[in-house]
Amino acid sequence: LGESMGAAVTLQVAAREPRIQAIVADSSYARLDSAVKGRLTLAFGPRLANVVTPPTQWVGEKILGVSTKDIAPIEAVPALSGRPTLLIHGDADGLIAVENAYQLHPACGENTELWITEGMRHVRSVREFDGYAERVLTFLDRALFGNS
């Protein structure tokens, strides 16, 4: 269970760890490089973002010692092998565009649910969407214990 960057980590770890039996990922990005560009576009607008994104990513890569292109849940999730997965994303998310969820959904394969929360901004669903906890708990109860 994770949200935002934690959701991206959850997806990548679950893809490598078969003991994880069910996954809930709220507002994950599909690729870190596109998430960085999206954040900078939000902050500076598209023209300036095109100028500042490459050096920003370069600095981040030097600090982290890994390429932003290599941090890509969308490339990891096919290894989930049909494990129950719930992807949640607000359709008003200005930080990580909802298109990321639409990209991740088919990549996760069968047994994946996509829940788009109407009017919700980045990771606000957990705090502001009525029925969030009930929906997640129902999913986990069904995924882990076979209850409907």
Side-chain angles (χ1 to χ4, degrees), residues 3-4 7 13 19 42 51-53 55 69 74 80 84 102 121 128 133 141 144:
E3 63 178 27
S4 193
V13 170
R19 292 178 295 177
L42 182 65
V51 174
V52 299
T53 297
K69 291 181 177 122
I74 197 160
L80 292 175
Y102 290 120
R121 294 174 292 133
E128 297 174 7
D141 193 39
L144 297 173

Side-chain angles (χ1 to χ4, degrees), residues 26-58:
D26 186 337
S27 305
S28 178
Y29 51 79
R31 305 184 59 83
L32 181 58
D33 55 349
S34 63
V36 169
K37 184 170 185 180
R39 178 66 177 116
L40 293 173
T41 299
L42 182 65
F44 300 114
R47 285 183 65 200
L48 189 52
N50 285 333
V51 174
V52 299
T53 297
T56 302
Q57 286 183 320
W58 183 83

